[in-house]
Amino acid sequence: MRALLACLSLLAASPALAQDDLTTLSDEFNDGALTGWSRFDQTFGWPDKIKALDVGESTPGALHLEPYHSAWVRDLNAPFLFREVRGDFDVRARVRVRGHAGDIPGGTWSLGGLMTRVPSRLSAAQWAPRAENWHFITTGVGHVAGEPMTETKSTFNSYSSLKLRPFPTGWVELRLVRVGMVLIALARPEGETHWRVRDRFYRMENSPVMQVGLIAYTTSDAVPPGPENPEVINREVNRDAPVDMILEADWIRFSRPRPQVSPDWYGQVSANPLADPNLPEAELLALLGD
């Protein structure tokens, strides 16, 4: 614990913390416009799977996003609004996922939140399988209808693994912190002051630039399960299947993370304190800060 406190003292004194170059990427969604954001579909030439999108019209002072039937899993894609971030980051968003008539979205697999994606630079015309690499934390409904959850998911070369954990519905704060090879996913319900660690990802990622932002996806019970052909599914938009999912984002805020670690690969594998799988959650949270 003494070593941890010493580490925190060094971090607090770091000149890099005095001036944060990422705060200009933040968006309070108060001006009625979506400025400076890239859309995944428009950037890479995919069909538009956004059913509704506005800032301040449907929900005053918030972004409002409704997806068509879609998913972020394996090679499949869905709506994604992002900014490019170079280096480590601490991104947070206050979001709510609901249905049109209630606090819980209808159906199953209706979730929205934060994602960080490794840019593949492949357009729809150049698409190739097994090239998706990303991590996310979302809130909403997973496999069981009516049960609010957080979902954390990591995808490596289009192989996805996920965790579903019960979580309160309503407004929540989601958070992703990248420190070198480590990415920590956190959440806290409205009214709570302490973060809950939802997942810890460890990955030696060579890309200094990540696409970071908001995702939303939903499935319709009217679409029967069948063989998954991403090249076909990604190029189609099912506008007829009924869906009941709304993502609202009150704000999203970017900053540099509090922990500062050596950027070289050996420093990452030998001296990054966040990469210790035995690091107690209390010490992890102390390193990350509020």
Side-chain angles (χ1 to χ4, degrees):
M1 188 65 182
R2 184 175 299 174
L4 173 64
L5 293 175
C7 178
L8 291 176
S9 297
L10 288 173
L11 294 176
S14 172
L17 299 177
Q19 185 173 2
D20 198 316
D21 60 321
L22 293 187
T23 57
T24 57
L25 300 179
S26 302
D27 199 331
E28 300 296 314
F29 300 121
N30 287 330
D31 59 4
L34 194 63
T35 304
W37 289 93
S38 298
R39 282 178 44 167
F40 180 81
D41 58 306
Q42 294 176 347
T43 302
F44 297 101
W46 293 105
D48 180 5
K49 296 191 177 184
I50 295 177
K51 182 179 180 181
L53 174 63
D54 66 71
V55 177
E57 296 178 15
S58 301
T59 308
L63 177 142
H64 175 106
L65 172 59
E66 298 181 46
Y68 284 115
H69 176 81
S70 57
W72 276 108
V73 65
R74 295 178 290 276
D75 272 315
L76 301 183
N77 62 53
F80 179 30
L81 308 173
F82 67 89
R83 300 190 192 276
E84 289 199 341
V85 179
R86 178 174 293 273
D88 294 344
F89 58 81
D90 185 335
V91 59
R92 311 162 187 222
R94 181 175 183 259
V95 303
R96 177 171 65 177
V97 172
R98 62 178 178 88
H100 285 84
D103 293 334
I104 298 178
T108 58
W109 299 113
S110 298
L111 301 112
L114 291 171
M115 184 164 84
T116 175
R117 178 178 181 268
V118 180
S120 68
R121 305 302 181 190
L122 294 178
S123 68
Q126 302 165 321
W127 182 84
R130 297 178 293 280
E132 285 297 318
N133 293 276
W134 42 257
H135 302 78
F136 71 52
I137 179 169
T138 58
T139 179
V141 170
H143 182 61
V144 181
E147 294 188 5
M149 300 274 172
T150 59
E151 180 185 10
T152 55
K153 187 182 293 179
S154 60
T155 293
F156 302 101
N157 296 329
S158 299
Y159 180 84
S160 296
S161 59
L162 62 92
K163 294 176 185 175
L164 290 168
R165 297 292 184 269
F167 204 75
T169 188
W171 287 100
V172 302
E173 288 184 55
L174 302 177
R175 182 180 180 190
L176 286 174
V177 184
R178 180 191 185 186
V179 182
M181 66 173 285
V182 177
L183 191 73
I184 309 296
L186 310 100
R188 62 182 173 191
E190 188 84 343
E192 290 193 9
T193 58
H194 297 291
W195 290 101
R196 304 184 193 180
V197 177
R198 309 307 279 176
D199 220 332
R200 309 185 192 193
F201 304 113
Y202 303 93
R203 175 192 176 97
M204 283 301 295
E205 179 49 61
N206 293 324
S207 174
V209 176
M210 302 287 277
Q211 297 166 347
V212 185
L214 297 162
I215 59 172
Y217 51 100
T218 186
T219 58
S220 173
D221 294 338
V223 178
E228 185 176 291
N229 185 337
E231 186 158 17
V232 173
I233 295 172
N234 285 339
R235 298 183 193 281
E236 297 178 340
V237 182
N238 190 333
R239 295 181 173 85
D240 299 322
V243 292
D244 183 30
M245 185 277 189
I246 299 169
L247 168 70
E248 296 165 312
D250 182 25
W251 46 257
I252 182 170
R253 295 167 184 165
F254 294 80
S255 63
R256 292 296 180 189
R258 185 177 182 185
Q260 310 270 317
V261 296
S262 172
D264 70 279
W265 75 268
Y266 188 73
Q268 287 295 312
V269 301
S270 64
N272 187 336
L274 303 181
D276 181 358
N278 299 313
L279 183 68
E281 184 170 310
E283 294 187 22
L284 172 64
L285 292 172
L287 281 167
L288 296 180
D290 292 332

